[in-house]
Amino acid sequence: MRELPWPAKVYIVVLVTAAAALIGRDLVVGGGVAGGLDWPDWRTLIVLALLFLVCESAPTLLNIEQTAVSVSFSAALAAVVLVGPLGAALVGAVAVLSVRPGLPPVKRLFNGAQFAICGYAAGVVYRLAGGPDGLPVERFADLLVPYAAAAAVFVPLNILLIGVMLRLASVVRRDQVQLRDTARFLVSYLGYASFGLLIVGLWASVQSLAAVLVLVPVFIARWAFGQYRAQERSYEATMAALCQAVETKDYYTRGHCTRVSKAATMIAEEIGMGPRRLRAIRYAGMLHDVGKLGVPTKVLQKEGPLTEEEYAAIQLHPMRGLEIVKGIDFLDEAFAGIMHHHERHDGRGYPMGLAGDEIPEFARIIAVADAFDSMTSDRSYRRAKPVEVALEELRKNAGTQFDPVMVDAFVAAVRRRGWDPPVRPPAPPTGQPQTVMKDHDDPTTPIQVAAER
Amino acid sequence: MTTRQRRSRLPRSGDRARAPWCPILLTVAATLMIVSVGHVAATEVVDPDVALAFGALIAFGELARMMMPGNREVAPISTAAALGYAMLLDVEGRPAAHGALQVVAVMALGMIAGALPHLAVNRPPQAAAMARRLLTGALVAFAYRPLADVLWASTDHGRPGGQWWLVLAAMVVFAAVALVADMLVAAVLRAERMRTAPRVAVRDELRITGPLAAAVGTSGALLALASHGMGLVALLVFAAPLLVTQVAFRKYAGIRATYLQTVRALARVPEVGGYVDHGHSRRVSRLAVAVGRELGMCEAELLELEYAALMHDIGQLSLADPIPGGATVFAEPAQARRIAELGAEVIRKTGVLDRVAEIVRLQCDPPGPEVPPASRIIKVANAYDDLVGASADRNRSAAALERLRAGSGEEYDPVVVEAMAAVVARRRRR
């Protein structure tokens, strides 16, 4: 593990000390706001701690990886009601023992301490808000407001404690944590909170079995998400393989679709697109050139200027591409992106001659990504340009060929995250006929069209 | 008995526009609905607030219905709520005294209410699926409601310290039996409609909707149990985990559908490139899947068969000089084999479709022990489509079948050829 900076170390020590002090004081002194624990409480506590441990050991796939939240939160909140602040703190502290191979001890300590502090704080708030002490309650509705208060303290405190840690350990920069992510985060937290309430509600009848029962739908949901992820990965691999099959026609454009997809995603992330649209543009970038197969090979391989007719065949390829993919249930934007990715900002592109804002956003993004990859790859008639030169070329053509906003976004994204140009392919095996003489994507060598005589 | 004889004895049920079980199911459901609603209208509604709350959750679940792979309509939240209402013992200590007919009436009305918005935008529900949902709930209601008093007494009338094990066991058993029965009915209907072998249909149904049914059953029992401690708040609190489960399954079903659409779309690339006859891959895949089903393949196998059939000509793309017309029966065997190998190579690059790649690789080989059934099917379907194409000419089809039969044994698997003859004959009658 990478060495932690010293403020992070200090922070962990402070948290662990605070957690130990809270638990220790209550265990020894008892009474106070927290109240002590007697035997039935301990039994409940053990069940909840086990539940917490199981959930903590299997972080859900529902959330962002960096700060894997898990259902364990529900168990901690249930503990707030069922066994009070001290119990909640103890349940949280169990996070130290979670079965996650490869989790470094420092992280374990931190997790345990922060969960304990959050649990304790939530417990105190619950009591202060007049929450009934343990079960059974007279009216369940009386429990709702204090419970909500406890959850409202637990959630932000949890985010705050983790956020400070991530900042100190400089894992995330500020701009990486977006508002949208936070919102999704809060929604799932809310869901988990209601789950905790469910455990409490079930405790009145089936008691400790509540824990097991509640886990059944959760694990089935997790299983389904796992299946979904597996299908999605498999899907993307298949799409990439098929797109590459289309490209094998041309020795030099191998991997073009994957790289365009990547560059387009970088631009889309830079301008702050949501996850749904990000996925759509990833697919659109991958599929943008599938129509190229409709262009006769002899046109692609022809040396010298093309006739109007041959150029028309090239201009048709985005429409052909659209025709192929239109049966797929994508966002409409993805189709627009494929169809219009050769439009130009000044209106001199094809197939429709749209200009400026008339061009769909996806198409403006793919146009930049497409041209950039073409310039940074080898072609039979020229060597690849260095990334810097290609970026300069994009900037030069911003406002005429490209949307300046997208060019700026891409330049910024490459500055920050870099770009791996394709490895130079070995010279094509001799006698291989499929070297295309011109690249319709290359802005530096526009296709020459012979005037009709 | 030869294959031909066996096939010719196949029932001609494919001619009927609708399977006989489906109208029976719909009639039973409709009768039950009318009787129950009539009964409740004539008598008094017991605990109207509880009925309303569960009815609302059922309606919401119906509104949020979804499609599982294989065009299976499900409404998990609606079913869970219905099971919960059927198995309800008390609401915060107040015993639930509603009868089975009231459960059915609440379900029927809730389901209709939830289906109305869909109808308004012209997305009608699958009548059979809706009927099954109603009957599943009704089954539990009629079995469980009469026992409600006994079970309630077994918990010491809900007093603290009472035992709930018996109740829990009863709930789990009743929900499980009803859901399994539902899957069996679904399998019978599907077998009838798609001409799947019944045993295979049952296995498919269990595999595809089983996990979701387990989640639904547990949720139903939890809902009934939680109402004891939480009152009707339970329904609200329950919406969250149920929604999470539903979202997970919906996403899964969604990506499955997109996957298939994408393979279908990209399989057309060789056609757009002019290397292969227009619509060829789609026709071959349809025919191959019908034959596979005729031969009793399960849905997982059929999906692989469909992918392989769609992509059987994808190897054309790797050839510098594509063979006009593709790996047709007219092509040189060596050439056809080369297309198959190149195609398999492309598919293997996905890293996930290894079995599909193997099917494509062996699509030209004569039937032998190492050639999977899917490859044999594609070989026959491909040859048939090469000979007949999009034409609907009877004579051409008959001639093609005759030619395939002539090559039967040596070139083509006789079982597959006869299964295809049956499929083609059925299509023609339609």
Side-chain angles (χ1 to χ4, degrees):
Chain A
M1 194 185 124
R2 216 179 53 235
E3 195 58 29
L4 282 173
W6 68 266
K9 285 182 189 158
V10 172
Y11 180 63
I12 293 179
V13 171
V14 169
L15 281 191
V16 172
T17 319
L22 288 173
I23 294 175
R25 197 201 61 160
D26 274 18
L27 273 181
V28 176
V29 183
V33 203
L37 290 171
D38 40 25
W39 170 234
D41 288 342
W42 280 105
R43 220 170 40 186
T44 307
L45 189 82
I46 289 167
V47 174
L48 285 176
L50 278 177
L51 178 67
F52 184 89
L53 206 55
V54 170
C55 300
E56 184 62 21
S57 306
T60 54
L61 298 158
L62 316 183
N63 289 290
I64 329 157
E65 275 110 12
Q66 290 161 339
T67 43
V69 182
S70 63
V71 205
S72 49
F73 167 61
S74 321
L77 274 183
V80 165
V81 178
L82 295 172
V83 278
L86 174 58
L90 283 171
V91 166
V94 168
V96 177
L97 303 173
S98 69
V99 192
R100 280 199 229 166
L103 192 67
V106 186
K107 274 195 177 176
R108 286 169 184 277
L109 266 182
F110 168 75
N111 277 345
Q114 66 97 359
F115 272 125
I117 292 174
C118 290
Y120 194 89
V124 170
V125 168
Y126 174 80
R127 291 276 162 89
L128 290 179
D133 191 359
L135 288 176
V137 289
E138 268 307 297
R139 282 180 52 231
F140 197 80
D142 294 342
L143 201 141
L144 291 181
V145 174
Y147 183 84
V153 169
F154 196 115
V155 176
L157 189 59
N158 187 237
I159 293 179
L160 182 74
L161 292 179
I162 294 180
V164 170
M165 182 66 205
L166 292 178
R167 256 330 240 301
L168 290 179
S170 54
V171 181
V172 271
R173 277 183 305 271
R174 180 194 288 270
D175 52 300
Q176 244 174 306
V177 183
Q178 284 187 0
L179 194 67
R180 206 191 319 264
D181 289 338
T182 322
R184 255 192 316 162
F185 215 62
L186 284 178
V187 168
S188 58
Y189 256 129
L190 206 66
Y192 289 137
S194 73
F195 230 86
L197 198 58
L198 206 58
I199 298 175
V200 175
L202 284 168
W203 212 274
S205 49
V206 284
Q207 292 175 358
S208 46
L209 207 62
V212 184
L213 280 175
V214 161
L215 282 184
V216 175
V218 178
F219 275 99
I220 292 175
R222 271 176 47 78
W223 174 83
F225 264 111
Q227 294 276 306
Y228 160 67
R229 285 294 166 100
Q231 277 285 320
E232 195 185 33
R233 268 196 303 274
S234 158
Y235 170 57
E236 288 184 9
T238 304
M239 183 148 66
L242 290 179
C243 288
Q244 269 154 26
V246 173
E247 288 171 348
T248 48
K249 302 256 42 155
D250 181 353
Y251 188 81
Y252 282 100
T253 58
R254 279 179 194 175
H256 176 63
C257 60
T258 332
R259 291 191 301 269
V260 169
S261 169
K262 192 177 153 215
T265 312
M266 278 166 71
I267 300 175
E269 276 170 352
E270 192 69 28
I271 60 172
M273 274 191 190
R276 233 166 88 81
R277 297 181 74 206
L278 274 182
R279 186 164 36 208
I281 200 160
R282 201 162 70 229
Y283 297 163
M286 191 73 88
L287 292 168
H288 75 282
D289 258 354
V290 285
K292 213 170 73 179
L293 255 258
V295 183
T297 320
K298 66 171 182 3
V299 176
L300 291 174
Q301 291 178 350
K302 183 174 176 187
E303 276 184 75
L306 299 179
T307 63
E308 294 262 349
E309 207 177 316
E310 287 165 336
Y311 189 50
I314 286 191
Q315 286 188 328
L316 212 60
H317 85 271
M319 305 285 277
R320 284 277 171 84
L322 182 71
E323 198 188 304
I324 292 174
V325 298
K326 70 177 179 229
I328 311 176
D329 196 8
F330 282 147
L331 286 184
D332 286 344
E333 284 194 284
F335 296 132
I338 292 170
M339 171 155 168
H340 294 293
H341 75 272
H342 278 298
E343 304 286 1
R344 289 170 52 108
H345 198 67
D346 55 13
R348 288 175 30 236
Y350 57 88
M352 309 274 278
L354 302 181
D357 286 345
E358 290 169 354
I359 308 171
E361 198 176 13
F362 273 35
R364 283 181 269 153
I365 293 175
I366 294 175
V368 173
D370 197 13
F372 177 77
D373 180 64
S374 168
M375 290 190 287
T376 51
S377 310
D378 275 322
R379 290 291 175 263
S380 58
Y381 54 88
R382 61 147 174 80
R383 275 294 165 94
K385 291 186 188 358
V387 169
E388 276 310 315
V389 177
L391 288 181
E392 195 45 53
E393 194 70 35
L394 285 181
R395 265 204 229 99
K396 216 168 70 194
N397 290 316
T400 50
Q401 182 171 359
F402 305 116
D403 180 353
V405 178
M406 302 308 170
V407 172
D408 287 347
F410 187 58
V411 171
V414 172
R415 288 261 178 283
R416 225 188 25 239
R417 292 154 60 181
W419 176 260
D420 300 322
V423 229
R424 174 157 300 166
T430 45
Q432 189 149 355
Q434 61 236 70
T435 44
V436 166
M437 291 317 292
K438 51 188 70 64
D439 179 9
H440 71 287
D441 292 334
D442 186 351
T444 55
T445 359
I447 290 172
Q448 312 253 305
V449 182
E452 289 286 307
R453 270 174 291 245
Chain B
M1 187 165 70
T2 69
T3 328
R4 195 177 301 188
Q5 278 165 335
R6 188 154 54 90
R7 290 295 157 195
S8 62
R9 280 201 312 122
L10 277 176
R12 299 183 175 231
S13 58
D15 294 335
R16 281 191 286 265
R18 173 156 279 183
W21 285 109
C22 194
I24 296 175
L25 179 82
L26 293 181
T27 317
V28 172
T31 317
L32 197 60
M33 193 174 102
I34 293 164
V35 169
S36 63
V37 173
H39 168 82
V40 170
T43 58
E44 205 175 326
V45 180
V46 184
D47 299 330
D49 55 333
V50 180
L52 191 66
F54 275 94
L57 191 58
I58 291 171
F60 171 71
E62 205 63 33
L63 190 65
R65 66 167 198 230
M66 56 182 262
M67 282 292 179
M68 288 292 279
N71 203 24
R72 294 174 166 87
E73 187 189 283
V74 290
I77 298 181
S78 163
T79 310
L83 291 180
Y85 190 49
M87 302 193 292
L88 191 67
L89 281 186
D90 71 312
V91 177
E92 268 192 297
R94 172 162 58 109
H98 58 270
L101 279 175
Q102 181 171 324
V103 174
V104 180
V106 167
M107 272 170 65
L109 295 176
M111 285 167 80
I112 290 171
L116 281 180
H118 283 293
L119 278 174
V121 292
N122 205 15
R123 272 190 318 219
Q126 292 177 358
M130 221 167 152
R132 282 199 291 116
R133 290 200 282 277
L134 187 77
L135 289 179
T136 309
L139 191 62
V140 175
F142 282 112
Y144 185 98
R145 286 321 306 168
L147 300 176
D149 282 341
V150 182
L151 289 171
W152 179 236
S154 82
T155 67
D156 196 16
H157 297 277
R159 288 188 197 97
Q163 289 301 316
W164 285 76
W165 306 104
L166 185 64
V167 176
L168 184 64
M171 284 179 174
V172 169
V173 169
F174 280 104
V177 168
L179 289 168
V180 169
D182 176 53
M183 282 187 260
L184 290 181
V185 172
V188 168
L189 290 181
R190 180 165 281 267
E192 202 77 36
R193 192 162 37 103
M194 316 280 281
R195 302 188 48 84
T196 319
R199 213 159 31 92
V200 178
V202 169
R203 227 172 38 211
D204 282 339
E205 207 65 38
L206 286 175
R207 197 174 301 157
I208 293 172
T209 55
L212 184 60
V216 165
T218 324
S219 301
L222 284 178
L223 201 49
L225 286 171
S227 299
H228 167 68
M230 306 168 79
L232 292 178
V233 181
L235 273 69
L236 265 184
V237 174
F238 240 98
L242 278 173
L243 265 178
V244 170
T245 312
Q246 164 139 357
V247 165
F249 277 96
R250 190 192 286 269
K251 282 191 152 199
Y252 171 65
I255 194 83
R256 277 272 304 248
T258 313
Y259 201 154
L260 189 56
Q261 289 162 353
T262 305
V263 174
R264 276 184 188 151
L266 292 180
R268 287 185 49 224
V269 167
E271 294 170 14
V272 172
Y275 306 139
V276 179
D277 194 18
H278 197 75
H280 171 68
S281 56
R282 196 62 200 279
R283 285 194 306 270
V284 170
S285 80
R286 284 209 180 116
L287 192 55
V289 168
V291 172
R293 193 169 276 135
E294 184 81 18
L295 291 173
M297 283 184 156
C298 74
E299 267 174 62
E301 291 168 325
L302 287 175
L303 189 66
E304 278 174 5
L305 172 61
E306 181 166 4
Y307 281 177
L310 282 168
M311 297 191 283
H312 76 274
D313 268 337
I314 210 91
Q316 282 273 43
L317 297 181
S318 310
L319 285 179
D321 295 305
I323 307 170
T328 64
V329 278
F330 314 113
E332 297 265 320
Q335 291 274 36
R337 187 152 299 151
R338 181 152 165 69
I339 293 180
E341 304 237 327
L342 287 170
E345 211 170 286
V346 168
I347 299 168
R348 210 172 294 120
K349 283 214 185 90
T350 62
V352 283
L353 298 177
D354 285 353
R355 277 199 301 276
V356 175
E358 194 61 11
I359 295 172
V360 169
R361 188 173 76 82
L362 296 170
Q363 61 170 315
C364 303
D365 289 28
E370 76 289 352
V371 180
S375 302
R376 304 176 193 201
I377 294 175
I378 291 176
K379 184 175 172 69
V380 174
N382 185 37
Y384 178 82
D385 194 74
D386 284 338
L387 295 168
V388 179
S391 143
D393 185 353
R394 263 157 196 266
N395 297 332
R396 221 165 135 182
S397 159
L401 281 176
E402 221 31 66
R403 180 165 166 177
L404 293 181
R405 282 201 178 110
S408 196
E410 287 289 311
E411 230 1 58
Y412 307 110
D413 185 336
V415 179
V416 174
V417 172
E418 289 316 312
M420 200 183 67
V423 168
V424 170
R426 208 159 50 234
R427 275 189 183 175
R428 215 182 290 147
R429 278 201 299 275
R430 214 172 276 158

